[in-house]
């Protein structure tokens, strides 16, 4: 009888913990930029050229941007949709293909009225 009580209590506890962790996972804010699926260049809202003098770029949340690098020997362009929940600044190299840019270019994401 005692074993049955322990079995029921442990089952309830495991089920409770599983629901709490699932709830925490679904409501955790995204702190990293994401894009899914990867947009194509013709879906871009605008094109931003990255030069050696570029120190930062300003984008809006949910905006699709094609980045073009005319000075690099690596990839010449890539397209990204800024659909992350967070609007914290980050380095363009965090999302760019390897070899796309050399200097540290900061990305500043502004809230969009479409995302409210």
């Amino acid at each position: 009888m005692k074993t049955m009580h322990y079995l029921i209590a442990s089952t309830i506890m495991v089920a409770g913990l599983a629901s709490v962790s699932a709830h925490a996972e679904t409501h955790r804010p995204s702190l990293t930029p994401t894009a899914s699926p990867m947009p194509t260049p013709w879906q871009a809202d605008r094109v931003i050229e990255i030069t050696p003098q570029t120190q930062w770029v300003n984008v809006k949340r949910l905006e699709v941007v094609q980045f073009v690098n005319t000075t690099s020997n690596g990839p010449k362009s890539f397209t990204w949709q800024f659909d992350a929940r967070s609007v914290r600044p980050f380095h363009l190299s965090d999302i760019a293909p390897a070899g796309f840019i050399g200097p540290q270019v900061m990305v500043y994401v502004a809230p969009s009225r479409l995302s409210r």
Side-chain angles (χ1 to χ4, degrees), residues 33-83:
T34 61
S36 58
M38 189 64 86
T40 57
W42 55 84
Q43 292 174 308
D45 297 317
R46 65 185 174 125
V47 175
I48 297 178
E49 184 175 331
I50 304 297
T51 67
Q53 292 77 29
T54 305
Q55 296 177 350
W56 70 87
V57 295
N58 294 315
V59 298
K60 290 183 181 174
R61 185 172 178 265
L62 300 178
E63 184 175 30
V64 178
V65 176
Q66 180 183 20
F67 293 97
V68 177
N69 189 346
T70 58
T71 60
S72 155
N73 291 333
K76 299 293 184 191
S77 69
F78 75 98
T79 306
W80 194 265
Q81 180 176 14
F82 293 89
D83 62 351

Side-chain angles (χ1 to χ4, degrees), residues 33 80 82 88-95 105-109:
W80 194 265
F82 293 89
R88 293 175 39 197
F90 61 91
H91 292 277
L92 184 61
S93 60
D94 292 344
I95 61 171
V105 176
M106 291 298 295
V107 178
Y108 295 94
V109 183

Side-chain angles (χ1 to χ4, degrees), residues 22-38:
H23 182 274
E25 189 66 30
T26 58
H27 294 292
R28 184 174 10 162
S30 171
L31 299 178
T32 58
T34 61
S36 58
M38 189 64 86

Side-chain angles (χ1 to χ4, degrees), residues 6-35:
Y6 285 126
L7 181 62
I8 291 171
S10 62
T11 303
I12 291 171
M13 187 172 63
V14 168
L17 289 175
S19 68
V20 168
S21 67
H23 182 274
E25 189 66 30
T26 58
H27 294 292
R28 184 174 10 162
S30 171
L31 299 178
T32 58
T34 61

